Amino acid sequence: MKFSSLSLRTLLIASTAILVPAFASAQSENSTETSPEAAAPEAQDLKLQEVVVLGRYIPEVLRSTSEVAAFLAPEDLARQGDSDAASALARVTGITIAEGRFVYVRGLGERYSAARLNGSPLPSPEPLQRVVPLDLFPTNILENVLVQKTYSVEYPGEFGGGIIDLRTLNIPKERFLELSVSGSYNTETTGKDGITHYGADSDVLGFDDGTRKIPGLVRQAMATGNRIQNNNFTNAELQAMGQAFTNAPINLIQSNDSIPMNGSYEASGGTSFDLGGAELGIIGVLGYSNEWRTRDGRQEVGEINGGILSATSTYDYLTTEQNIGWDGLFGVGLDFGDDKFNWTNLYVRRTTKQTSIREGYDDLASRDVRDDRTGWYARELYSTQINGDHYRGPWTLDWRAALSQTKRDAPYERATRFIFSDLTNSYIYDPSGSGSSNSTTFSFLDDKVVSGGADLKYVQALSSARDIEYSAGVEAYQNERSAQARIFSFIVGNPPLDFLVSQQRPDFLFANYNINPDLFVLRETTGSSGAAAYDADLKVFGAYAKVDAEIIPLVRTAVGLRFEDATQSVTPLSLISSETAPEAPPELENQYLLPALTLTWNFAEDQQLRLGASKSIGRPQFRELAPQQYYDTDSGRTFIGNPYLTDTEILNLDARYEMYFDRGQAVTAGVFFKQLDRPVESVVVQQSASVFQTYLNAPEAILYGAEIDFKRVFDSPIKGAFFDSKEFLVQANYTYTTSEVKAGSGDVVFPLQAGGQPRPATDFIIDGTRLQGQSEHIANLQIGWEDEAARSQLTLLANYASERVTARAPAGQPDFLQDPGINLDLVYKKGFDLRGKAFTLDIKAKNLLQEDFEEYQTGNDGYVRVNQYEVGTTLSVGLSAAF
């Protein structure tokens, strides 16, 4: 059992002092033996002096929760013009987005934030994260988004930065059908030079037609359990298997002198039926998108020589991605008044067809090299959920059950290395290349979550204006993941390789006539000792009890305690029958008591103060525990897990002042503090000729800061025909955050390379450095107007985040940093009628200041560009029609 007895004892004493008067008051009011006339004069006087609850300006969604929270309403999602949930959340106070997919709340990385869909947990299709990337969720399927920044016991204990609850569309209020189409242009991609590879005829749909399947002969050989190499199979068998691999459509990189525009199409509709005593609602959404992105950038690898940081390997690269997306939502709702049932089905598919060329000087190879890469990455998420709400007087029962599954399939991830030849003054094939520089990889990941939970609430009136709510609930879920990678290479069968052959282009180089015992022979290079596959499992059972009451007029107290039992395991697997996988690391099995307390003082009609204190945890992600190697094409780094990681325990303290001008208009200001025991940090390690990224538990870290948010709508201050009908919006927020990772002389860590043995923490972590992902300054600004008469809306949106640490560098080097900078967007909407139908024109301009992507190292009198490229400005035009 892991909890602080002192903090728990203090919380229980405080809750008892608060709750005893509540029970006494409830008992007095429910008594039928004493008439009002016989009541004591003091009691009658007290009743006459009853204070009515205030807060009529406070939005219902924020008034119904005692926690510090932010809410994106449908009008916010529409106004901001963001296409996915990740982009929309970047506008929320204290939130930044990493890699365009993952949410950082108050400076804490994505590991400390959890996303839920309609209250149920979600799996992830990402090899490096257990957290689902939020770019998977298009805003067109969302009704609203709630971001809760303080922990409350009805949610799972894995909480550090926040809980993001995505709510999908439900029963429509009226029948509707909407069709939309849009196109976009990017200044760095559209109409510019790019590269691609053919792949398959069906690539434009985001589905492979079988071109990328593992050849049948290879699958049969794999089924024997033997490693595919010459001591297990004959030359003729290896030749037949090698010739069965798809060659030209995958290997041949072609130039494209005019990358096409992006396009998307969407249809949504819904209706409801009166069944006589019940209402049946049906809603559906179907969307397709096809987007291109080219990155023309620079990557460098730094070292410190003579005390000076300098780039020893430098590469220029060109990468073009075609991203195809499918979105589907089907929901059915049944409303009996006191009983409501919802069945929601969500399908999201994102496919990335990637082509990349990287050229430059490789310090390890001591020469100029070129790396060609092609890849096909298909990510799918499917979720089916059933939930019910039942009301019986003061009793409410909510229940939910969900099955969610994600898959990531990456067939024919092809890498080929070439070296520069002075004889030909060009790049020729490098026959000495091995590993990730000359390989064909087939990898697959399957992640599934089965979950169920129920919450029971009872509301007891304390007076005509105040009540007390008792709630209790249970939730259980199991997260299972299976991942594996099979890797193959073509080795030179009879070295040395003929110089004329090495000059051939890739589709000729690996053509069938070159695959024979004298030239190229197929060999399986799949990792051994559990480095190629693993199974992972996380079982969590949680139960909580909570009391939410306004015992003292205008002071609301919510106190709760959650018990959570969890078992997490990662089991390395051997894909070769003759090779034994290493012993699985010990299960992480822990039980926690997690208390949470919040106080809300609604001291004025439009103002309130919130205070919160809680304990929560963070668990290592599956990929961080697994010893399987994974090459990340975006960062150009190899990742390896560390099975010696442990849970992080977190103390959370919050305070926030809120003043509301009207519904949805407010100014808020708050402070927060977090203490993290054993936070997980990412570390870049250099061992001889290898550079890889792994993870370890830092000894301790603290994080604290302040945030302020302002939103106001007002009539036009300027008179005139154009301005009279316009209503203006000003919304701004700013968050200051600072953090400190502590690593003293007596502290130890358990890195992967030490085999679980303790090492001095100061060998890996510089004391006083910031937590990874933490930006010191985050700011958002929205300025715009809306004209209901003209059916038009214009919004200028600015987002700023200061530099943040992305990874710990090799020992002695400065950390890897990223500077997100300022992102400026403009969104314009105009409604009009045409032939009796309502149309809406959307015009968007993203990244108007053309902020670039920058990841770098600076210090020791040097500067290294780890990864830099131009993002460009994206201009889009969309048209939708309502029928």
Side-chain angles (χ1 to χ4, degrees):
M1 191 79 67
K2 294 195 174 182
F3 60 94
S4 169
S5 58
L6 179 59
S7 61
L8 179 60
R9 219 171 26 242
T10 304
L11 182 62
L12 292 177
I13 291 172
S15 62
T16 303
I18 293 171
L19 297 180
V20 167
F23 288 109
S25 174
Q27 184 177 5
S28 174
E29 290 186 16
N30 292 333
S31 175
T32 58
E33 297 178 1
T34 305
S35 66
E37 293 78 12
E42 293 82 4
Q44 294 187 39
D45 290 343
L46 180 61
K47 210 164 193 177
L48 290 173
Q49 295 171 10
E50 178 65 60
V51 179
V52 176
V53 143
L54 302 180
R56 65 185 179 92
Y57 287 141
I58 302 173
E60 176 61 31
V61 69
L62 296 180
R63 189 152 47 89
S64 63
T65 176
S66 58
E67 313 306 325
V68 174
F71 181 70
L72 285 177
E75 56 268 23
D76 297 319
L77 296 172
R79 182 168 204 136
Q80 293 168 186
D82 297 305
S83 59
D84 58 73
S87 301
L89 285 166
R91 318 294 181 184
V92 175
T93 310
I95 290 183
T96 57
I97 304 300
E99 303 172 36
R101 297 179 289 174
F102 299 105
V103 171
Y104 286 18
V105 182
R106 289 175 166 177
L108 292 174
E110 82 282 349
R111 73 174 62 257
Y112 298 109
S113 298
R116 295 170 80 83
L117 184 67
N118 299 322
S120 295
L122 287 167
S124 173
E126 294 299 314
L128 295 177
Q129 282 87 11
R130 195 174 72 239
V131 182
V132 62
L134 294 181
D135 67 324
L136 285 179
F137 299 93
T139 52
N140 63 289
I141 68 167
L142 299 176
E143 176 66 23
N144 54 62
V145 181
L146 177 67
V147 181
Q148 186 168 303
K149 299 180 183 178
T150 55
Y151 177 64
S152 55
V153 295
E154 59 265 35
Y155 283 114
E158 276 197 90
F159 177 96
I163 293 284
I164 295 104
D165 201 350
L166 308 168
R167 297 284 175 173
T168 56
L169 298 170
N170 210 318
I171 298 178
K173 296 180 180 179
E174 57 185 25
R175 183 178 181 181
F176 75 96
L177 174 63
E178 185 171 303
L179 304 176
S180 65
V181 59
S182 69
S184 65
Y185 170 95
N186 180 269
T187 57
E188 294 297 324
T189 299
T190 312
K192 300 292 183 67
D193 290 340
I195 51 178
T196 187
H197 63 281
Y198 178 74
D201 291 332
S202 60
D203 284 359
V204 69
L205 298 177
F207 293 89
D208 182 62
D209 63 1
T211 299
R212 297 178 176 88
K213 287 183 63 176
I214 299 179
L217 290 175
V218 178
R219 292 200 304 271
Q220 293 175 15
M222 290 163 50
T224 66
N226 295 319
R227 184 178 290 273
I228 299 176
Q229 56 188 24
N230 54 13
N231 59 337
N232 292 322
F233 297 90
T234 66
N235 287 338
E237 290 173 328
L238 291 174
Q239 179 174 336
M241 284 187 277
Q243 292 177 347
F245 273 73
T246 301
N247 176 33
I250 304 296
N251 279 325
L252 183 61
I253 294 179
Q254 301 169 295
S255 62
N256 186 330
D257 59 4
S258 183
I259 298 296
M261 289 184 61
N262 305 323
S264 65
Y265 311 87
E266 178 194 313
S268 60
T271 188
S272 58
F273 305 92
D274 187 354
L275 303 181
E279 184 182 15
L280 174 67
I282 299 175
I283 193 166
V285 178
L286 179 64
Y288 165 81
S289 62
N290 187 356
E291 299 179 351
W292 295 80
R293 182 177 73 160
T294 296
R295 288 174 290 173
D296 189 352
R298 179 97 167 173
Q299 291 179 338
E300 297 177 345
V301 178
E303 288 186 6
I304 293 180
N305 295 308
I308 298 176
L309 175 69
S310 61
T312 55
S313 297
T314 59
Y315 309 97
D316 293 315
Y317 71 92
L318 181 68
T319 298
T320 299
E321 293 179 351
Q322 182 183 12
N323 298 289
I324 303 101
W326 287 97
D327 313 309
L329 174 73
F330 175 72
V332 178
L334 195 57
D335 188 347
F336 290 95
D338 289 338
D339 299 282
K340 296 179 173 64
F341 301 90
N342 290 291
W343 179 37
T344 304
N345 298 274
L346 174 67
Y347 174 77
V348 177
R349 180 181 174 91
R350 294 289 182 271
T351 302
T352 298
K353 180 180 179 181
Q354 186 183 82
T355 311
S356 179
I357 295 176
R358 188 178 76 165
E359 294 182 2
Y361 182 79
D362 188 318
D363 183 58
L364 297 176
S366 299
R367 64 193 312 165
D368 288 334
V369 300
R370 190 185 88 199
D371 293 317
D372 289 2
R373 287 185 173 273
T374 60
W376 172 268
Y377 310 95
R379 299 179 295 161
E380 283 186 344
L381 183 149
Y382 171 71
S383 178
T384 181
Q385 303 176 328
I386 301 176
N387 60 68
D389 302 313
H390 309 277
Y391 307 92
R392 297 295 185 271
W395 294 91
T396 302
L397 173 65
D398 302 328
W399 58 269
R400 59 197 175 277
L403 169 63
S404 300
Q405 187 167 13
T406 60
K407 295 183 178 181
R408 180 186 185 272
D409 190 17
Y412 275 102
E413 192 174 356
R414 201 71 176 254
T416 308
R417 166 158 285 197
F418 301 86
I419 56 177
F420 189 79
S421 171
D422 293 329
L423 293 176
T424 62
N425 198 32
S426 64
Y427 286 98
I428 63 174
Y429 178 68
D430 178 15
S432 65
S434 60
S436 60
S437 63
N438 280 303
S439 62
T440 302
T441 303
F442 299 85
S443 61
F444 182 79
L445 184 149
D446 190 353
D447 203 86
K448 180 171 65 176
V449 172
V450 180
S451 64
D455 303 282
L456 183 65
K457 299 179 182 178
Y458 175 75
V459 179
Q460 180 182 14
L462 296 179
S463 69
S464 60
R466 297 180 292 117
D467 54 37
I468 181 169
E469 180 182 277
Y470 306 94
S471 59
V474 295
E475 183 181 56
Y477 63 91
Q478 181 173 12
N479 184 188
E480 296 178 315
R481 172 177 282 202
S482 178
Q484 69 173 38
R486 304 296 292 246
I487 307 174
F488 302 90
S489 297
F490 285 101
I491 64 170
V492 179
N494 188 16
L497 183 67
D498 186 274
F499 187 72
L500 293 177
V501 174
S502 65
Q503 298 179 56
Q504 295 177 356
R505 70 186 200 188
D507 55 330
F508 294 153
L509 186 68
F510 298 108
N512 286 353
Y513 52 75
N514 280 343
I515 299 175
N516 58 66
D518 293 325
L519 282 177
F520 291 118
V521 178
L522 182 68
R523 172 184 289 177
E524 183 173 3
T525 55
T526 297
S528 59
S529 301
Y534 68 91
D535 286 341
D537 183 80
L538 172 64
K539 297 184 182 73
V540 178
F541 171 79
Y544 75 91
K546 180 180 178 181
V547 179
D548 191 344
E550 192 174 345
I551 311 246
I552 304 171
L554 307 179
V555 178
R556 179 180 178 184
T557 305
V559 58
L561 185 67
R562 183 180 185 88
F563 167 78
E564 195 160 282
D565 180 275
T567 302
Q568 184 175 5
S569 64
V570 174
T571 305
L573 304 175
S574 176
L575 300 177
I576 309 300
S577 58
S578 60
E579 300 174 2
T580 303
E583 183 178 351
E587 290 184 338
L588 290 176
E589 185 172 3
N590 289 301
Q591 294 179 331
Y592 296 95
L593 284 179
L594 303 172
L597 169 67
T598 58
L599 294 173
T600 304
W601 181 21
N602 188 193
F603 59 88
E605 185 176 61
D606 56 356
Q607 300 175 64
Q608 62 185 18
L609 178 68
R610 299 182 192 264
L611 302 174
S614 62
K615 292 192 68 175
S616 57
I617 59 170
R619 296 187 179 94
Q621 302 182 35
F622 290 145
R623 190 62 192 83
E624 295 166 349
L625 291 166
Q628 184 188 41
Q629 295 186 15
Y630 169 75
Y631 181 80
D632 181 53
T633 56
D634 288 336
S635 64
R637 293 194 287 269
T638 298
F639 289 77
I640 308 175
N642 178 3
Y644 309 108
L645 299 178
T646 60
D647 292 352
T648 303
E649 299 185 41
I650 308 168
L651 171 67
N652 310 282
L653 301 175
D654 286 88
R656 185 165 82 164
Y657 162 78
E658 304 169 1
M659 182 173 71
Y660 293 88
F661 310 116
D662 203 338
R663 297 280 182 182
Q665 302 181 51
V667 58
T668 67
V671 294
F672 52 88
F673 172 86
K674 296 179 184 293
Q675 182 180 30
L676 297 88
D677 183 29
R678 301 187 303 277
V680 176
E681 294 277 274
S682 178
V683 182
V684 175
V685 178
Q686 285 184 331
Q687 284 188 337
S688 62
S690 299
V691 178
F692 61 90
Q693 190 162 326
T694 184
Y695 311 88
L696 53 76
N697 288 102
E700 184 185 356
I702 59 171
L703 177 144
Y704 56 91
E707 57 189 21
I708 186 169
D709 185 26
F710 173 84
K711 183 178 181 180
R712 184 76 188 209
V713 176
F714 54 91
D715 294 333
S716 173
I718 305 173
K719 301 302 179 183
F722 178 79
F723 296 99
D724 283 346
S725 60
K726 288 179 172 52
E727 183 179 67
F728 282 78
L729 165 74
V730 175
Q731 182 172 357
N733 60 64
Y734 168 74
T735 303
Y736 169 79
T737 310
T738 186
S739 63
E740 181 181 348
V741 179
K742 298 183 178 181
S745 58
D747 293 325
V748 296
V749 294
F750 297 87
L752 171 69
Q753 54 270 41
Q757 298 302 309
R759 293 278 300 276
T762 51
D763 287 354
F764 299 86
I765 299 169
I766 301 174
D767 183 55
T769 54
R770 288 181 289 169
L771 276 167
Q772 291 174 17
Q774 180 249 311
S775 292
E776 188 173 18
H777 306 284
I778 303 171
N780 286 282
L781 175 66
Q782 293 186 41
I783 302 175
W785 51 255
E786 182 173 9
D787 190 332
E788 291 188 2
R791 295 160 61 186
S792 62
Q793 189 181 81
L794 179 73
T795 310
L796 182 69
L797 306 103
N799 172 263
Y800 169 75
S802 60
E803 66 178 15
R804 59 194 179 205
V805 176
T806 57
R808 304 296 176 202
Q813 294 188 23
D815 290 337
F816 288 19
L817 302 174
Q818 181 191 349
D819 187 5
I822 300 175
N823 197 300
L824 186 66
D825 302 336
L826 184 68
V827 179
Y828 174 74
K829 296 177 180 289
K830 171 65 177 175
F832 61 93
D833 293 328
L834 182 64
R835 295 187 177 181
K837 304 297 180 184
F839 287 80
T840 301
L841 174 68
D842 291 280
I843 300 176
K844 305 171 189 175
K846 301 284 188 179
N847 194 24
L848 285 168
L849 300 180
Q850 296 194 338
E851 191 72 49
D852 299 334
F853 179 89
E854 294 182 86
E855 187 181 15
Y856 56 89
Q857 292 176 276
T858 182
N860 295 83
D861 296 325
Y863 181 87
V864 172
R865 291 176 286 184
V866 176
N867 189 13
Q868 292 187 358
Y869 59 87
E870 295 181 353
V871 177
T873 298
T874 300
L875 306 174
S876 65
V877 178
L879 184 66
S880 61
F883 297 89

